[in-house]
Amino acid sequence: MRLEVCEQIHVEQARRIARQAARAAGFDEPRCEAVVLAVSELAANLVRHARGGALRITAIEAQGVPGVEVESTDEGPGIADLEGALDDGFSTAGGLGSGLPAVRRLMDEFEVIETGPQGTRIRARAWSTR
Ligand SMILES: Nc1ncnc2c1ncn2[C@@H]1O[C@H](COP(=O)(O)OP(=O)(O)OP(=O)(O)O)[C@@H](O)[C@H]1O
Ligand SMILES: [Mg+2]
């Protein structure tokens, strides 16, 4: 499922899609909420820092274990200070700076695949614990 995210209403849509995907993967409620929150933060960053972008939310599976993969892609300015951006409390926009660190904590896998003047691509995965 691919979703363009450039304004707040798309963040709400992304949250709904994330919840459906997490439920379909058999996640329990707290894990569903974790995925929803992570997707929410990535979506909010697309709106706030990248003038929009796209989220891809997909069902994945490894050795019979279901999961959810989220990929955020944009053609924004890139994350100037990646190490800083992954620290709690770092924001270039007067935010709390807790978004990316939360995504990293909430998901089992987190990777900034690329970031630079051509844009940013972030991938995160969560696996079912049941
Ligand atoms: N997609 C993106 N493109 C460019 N820069 C980004 C992107 N996502 C995050 N950043 C940069 O990383 C910083 C940290 O992001 P993070 O989500 O942790 O904090 P925030 O968005 O500033 O505040 P919060 O999410 O707590 O409201 C941002 O301030 C911004 O500079
Ligand atoms: Mg943020």
Side-chain angles (χ1 to χ4, degrees), residues 41 45 48-49 84-85 87-101:
E41 292 297 338
N45 282 352
R48 187 170 198 176
H49 305 298
D87 280 341
D88 270 305
F90 178 96
S91 175
T92 58
L96 289 176
S98 54
L100 285 180

Side-chain angles (χ1 to χ4, degrees), residues 61-89:
E61 199 221 86
Q63 279 132 30
V65 178
V68 176
E69 179 176 285
V70 184
E71 198 169 303
S72 169
T73 312
D74 66 62
E75 296 177 352
I79 304 174
D81 178 355
L82 182 56
E83 245 184 80
L86 295 176
D87 280 341
D88 270 305

Side-chain angles (χ1 to χ4, degrees), residues 51-62:
R51 303 181 302 273
L55 280 181
R56 214 170 42 80
I57 300 174
T58 17
I60 52 174
E61 199 221 86

